[in-house]
mmCIF file of all heavy atoms in Angstrom:
data_model
loop_
_atom_site.group_PDB
_atom_site.id
_atom_site.type_symbol
_atom_site.label_atom_id
_atom_site.label_comp_id
_atom_site.label_asym_id
_atom_site.label_seq_id
_atom_site.Cartn_x
_atom_site.Cartn_y
_atom_site.Cartn_z
ATOM 1 N N GLY A 75 0.458 -24.477 -4.098
ATOM 2 C CA GLY A 75 -0.750 -23.782 -3.840
ATOM 3 C C GLY A 75 -0.698 -22.271 -3.936
ATOM 4 O O GLY A 75 -1.677 -21.556 -3.817
ATOM 5 N N LYS A 76 0.522 -21.756 -4.084
ATOM 6 C CA LYS A 76 0.677 -20.298 -4.126
ATOM 7 C C LYS A 76 0.846 -19.782 -5.560
ATOM 8 O O LYS A 76 1.564 -20.356 -6.363
ATOM 9 C CB LYS A 76 1.949 -19.918 -3.343
ATOM 10 C CG LYS A 76 1.836 -18.557 -2.702
ATOM 11 C CD LYS A 76 3.092 -18.332 -1.767
ATOM 12 C CE LYS A 76 3.570 -16.879 -2.013
ATOM 13 N NZ LYS A 76 4.869 -16.815 -2.660
ATOM 14 N N ASP A 77 0.097 -18.729 -5.860
ATOM 15 C CA ASP A 77 0.124 -18.153 -7.185
ATOM 16 C C ASP A 77 1.466 -17.424 -7.456
ATOM 17 O O ASP A 77 1.774 -16.462 -6.789
ATOM 18 C CB ASP A 77 -1.019 -17.194 -7.369
ATOM 19 C CG ASP A 77 -1.218 -16.758 -8.823
ATOM 20 O OD1 ASP A 77 -0.209 -16.774 -9.584
ATOM 21 O OD2 ASP A 77 -2.337 -16.394 -9.215
ATOM 22 N N VAL A 78 2.272 -17.963 -8.396
ATOM 23 C CA VAL A 78 3.556 -17.318 -8.671
ATOM 24 C C VAL A 78 3.620 -16.781 -10.112
ATOM 25 O O VAL A 78 4.674 -16.497 -10.612
ATOM 26 C CB VAL A 78 4.706 -18.321 -8.480
ATOM 27 C CG1 VAL A 78 4.823 -18.813 -7.077
ATOM 28 C CG2 VAL A 78 4.560 -19.508 -9.405
ATOM 29 N N THR A 79 2.453 -16.594 -10.730
ATOM 30 C CA THR A 79 2.404 -16.253 -12.154
ATOM 31 C C THR A 79 3.267 -15.032 -12.470
ATOM 32 O O THR A 79 3.958 -14.989 -13.484
ATOM 33 C CB THR A 79 0.966 -16.014 -12.584
ATOM 34 O OG1 THR A 79 0.136 -17.014 -12.071
ATOM 35 C CG2 THR A 79 0.839 -15.944 -14.092
ATOM 36 N N GLY A 80 3.251 -14.063 -11.561
ATOM 37 C CA GLY A 80 4.002 -12.810 -11.834
ATOM 38 C C GLY A 80 5.351 -12.783 -11.162
ATOM 39 O O GLY A 80 6.021 -11.705 -11.253
ATOM 40 N N ALA A 81 5.740 -13.861 -10.509
ATOM 41 C CA ALA A 81 6.983 -13.809 -9.737
ATOM 42 C C ALA A 81 8.166 -14.036 -10.667
ATOM 43 O O ALA A 81 8.143 -14.717 -11.671
ATOM 44 C CB ALA A 81 6.975 -14.894 -8.699
ATOM 45 N N ASP A 82 9.263 -13.414 -10.337
ATOM 46 C CA ASP A 82 10.548 -13.603 -11.073
ATOM 47 C C ASP A 82 11.067 -15.024 -10.879
ATOM 48 O O ASP A 82 10.756 -15.643 -9.861
ATOM 49 C CB ASP A 82 11.581 -12.601 -10.564
ATOM 50 C CG ASP A 82 11.547 -11.303 -11.374
ATOM 51 O OD1 ASP A 82 11.044 -11.387 -12.518
ATOM 52 O OD2 ASP A 82 11.966 -10.274 -10.862
ATOM 53 N N ALA A 83 11.898 -15.448 -11.765
ATOM 54 C CA ALA A 83 12.488 -16.775 -11.725
ATOM 55 C C ALA A 83 13.155 -17.026 -10.331
ATOM 56 O O ALA A 83 12.966 -18.063 -9.749
ATOM 57 C CB ALA A 83 13.484 -16.976 -12.832
ATOM 58 N N ARG A 84 13.878 -15.990 -9.877
ATOM 59 C CA ARG A 84 14.653 -16.241 -8.686
ATOM 60 C C ARG A 84 13.782 -16.317 -7.416
ATOM 61 O O ARG A 84 14.286 -16.711 -6.376
ATOM 62 C CB ARG A 84 15.737 -15.149 -8.540
ATOM 63 C CG ARG A 84 15.174 -13.778 -8.259
ATOM 64 C CD ARG A 84 16.318 -12.768 -8.419
ATOM 65 N NE ARG A 84 15.870 -11.471 -8.038
ATOM 66 C CZ ARG A 84 16.317 -10.814 -6.981
ATOM 67 N NH1 ARG A 84 17.202 -11.350 -6.209
ATOM 68 N NH2 ARG A 84 15.870 -9.612 -6.737
ATOM 69 N N ALA A 85 12.530 -15.900 -7.511
ATOM 70 C CA ALA A 85 11.649 -15.937 -6.355
ATOM 71 C C ALA A 85 10.921 -17.297 -6.282
ATOM 72 O O ALA A 85 10.175 -17.511 -5.336
ATOM 73 C CB ALA A 85 10.688 -14.801 -6.417
ATOM 74 N N ARG A 86 11.172 -18.163 -7.263
ATOM 75 C CA ARG A 86 10.333 -19.403 -7.347
ATOM 76 C C ARG A 86 10.932 -20.608 -6.714
ATOM 77 O O ARG A 86 10.272 -21.634 -6.604
ATOM 78 C CB ARG A 86 9.989 -19.688 -8.780
ATOM 79 C CG ARG A 86 9.144 -18.593 -9.412
ATOM 80 C CD ARG A 86 8.593 -19.035 -10.776
ATOM 81 N NE ARG A 86 7.862 -17.878 -11.342
ATOM 82 C CZ ARG A 86 7.112 -17.982 -12.408
ATOM 83 N NH1 ARG A 86 7.021 -19.119 -13.027
ATOM 84 N NH2 ARG A 86 6.545 -16.910 -12.891
ATOM 85 N N ASP A 87 12.191 -20.547 -6.305
ATOM 86 C CA ASP A 87 12.879 -21.623 -5.711
ATOM 87 C C ASP A 87 12.883 -22.856 -6.626
ATOM 88 O O ASP A 87 12.338 -23.932 -6.289
ATOM 89 C CB ASP A 87 12.325 -21.977 -4.322
ATOM 90 C CG ASP A 87 13.136 -23.061 -3.591
ATOM 91 O OD1 ASP A 87 14.277 -23.228 -3.947
ATOM 92 O OD2 ASP A 87 12.579 -23.734 -2.718
ATOM 93 N N ILE A 88 13.379 -22.713 -7.798
ATOM 94 C CA ILE A 88 13.382 -23.726 -8.832
ATOM 95 C C ILE A 88 14.877 -23.928 -9.288
ATOM 96 O O ILE A 88 15.608 -22.948 -9.357
ATOM 97 C CB ILE A 88 12.501 -23.295 -10.004
ATOM 98 C CG1 ILE A 88 11.050 -23.420 -9.620
ATOM 99 C CG2 ILE A 88 12.822 -24.050 -11.268
ATOM 100 C CD1 ILE A 88 10.089 -22.924 -10.708
ATOM 101 N N ALA A 89 15.182 -25.174 -9.684
ATOM 102 C CA ALA A 89 16.430 -25.388 -10.303
ATOM 103 C C ALA A 89 16.224 -25.883 -11.725
ATOM 104 O O ALA A 89 15.166 -26.514 -11.977
ATOM 105 C CB ALA A 89 17.243 -26.402 -9.531
ATOM 106 N N MET A 90 17.171 -25.601 -12.587
ATOM 107 C CA MET A 90 16.907 -25.983 -13.994
ATOM 108 C C MET A 90 18.243 -26.426 -14.649
ATOM 109 O O MET A 90 19.329 -25.869 -14.416
ATOM 110 C CB MET A 90 16.349 -24.831 -14.733
ATOM 111 C CG MET A 90 16.035 -25.078 -16.204
ATOM 112 S SD MET A 90 14.728 -23.928 -16.766
ATOM 113 C CE MET A 90 14.789 -24.256 -18.536
ATOM 114 N N VAL A 91 18.132 -27.455 -15.526
ATOM 115 C CA VAL A 91 19.275 -27.883 -16.318
ATOM 116 C C VAL A 91 18.911 -27.597 -17.782
ATOM 117 O O VAL A 91 17.855 -28.019 -18.260
ATOM 118 C CB VAL A 91 19.521 -29.404 -16.141
ATOM 119 C CG1 VAL A 91 20.672 -29.854 -17.072
ATOM 120 C CG2 VAL A 91 19.892 -29.697 -14.718
ATOM 121 N N PHE A 92 19.781 -26.784 -18.398
ATOM 122 C CA PHE A 92 19.491 -26.367 -19.777
ATOM 123 C C PHE A 92 20.075 -27.407 -20.778
ATOM 124 O O PHE A 92 21.040 -28.096 -20.468
ATOM 125 C CB PHE A 92 20.114 -25.043 -20.076
ATOM 126 C CG PHE A 92 19.403 -23.894 -19.393
ATOM 127 C CD1 PHE A 92 19.716 -23.597 -18.044
ATOM 128 C CD2 PHE A 92 18.450 -23.140 -20.032
ATOM 129 C CE1 PHE A 92 19.062 -22.560 -17.435
ATOM 130 C CE2 PHE A 92 17.777 -22.113 -19.403
ATOM 131 C CZ PHE A 92 18.111 -21.813 -18.082
ATOM 132 N N GLN A 93 19.503 -27.435 -21.981
ATOM 133 C CA GLN A 93 19.984 -28.323 -23.025
ATOM 134 C C GLN A 93 21.434 -28.049 -23.342
ATOM 135 O O GLN A 93 22.259 -28.905 -23.495
ATOM 136 C CB GLN A 93 19.097 -28.136 -24.232
ATOM 137 C CG GLN A 93 19.543 -29.064 -25.372
ATOM 138 C CD GLN A 93 18.608 -28.989 -26.568
ATOM 139 O OE1 GLN A 93 17.593 -28.311 -26.492
ATOM 140 N NE2 GLN A 93 18.944 -29.707 -27.620
ATOM 141 N N SER A 94 21.799 -26.720 -23.356
ATOM 142 C CA SER A 94 23.186 -26.350 -23.631
ATOM 143 C C SER A 94 24.028 -26.275 -22.355
ATOM 144 O O SER A 94 25.139 -25.872 -22.403
ATOM 145 C CB SER A 94 23.228 -24.997 -24.303
ATOM 146 O OG SER A 94 22.693 -24.030 -23.437
#
Side-chain angles (χ1 to χ4, degrees):
Chain A
K76 210 173 137 247
D77 190 333
V78 296
T79 315
D82 269 337
R84 67 191 185 113
R86 295 191 185 189
D87 187 21
I88 284 177
M90 182 157 168
V91 177
F92 290 83
Q93 182 174 355
S94 63

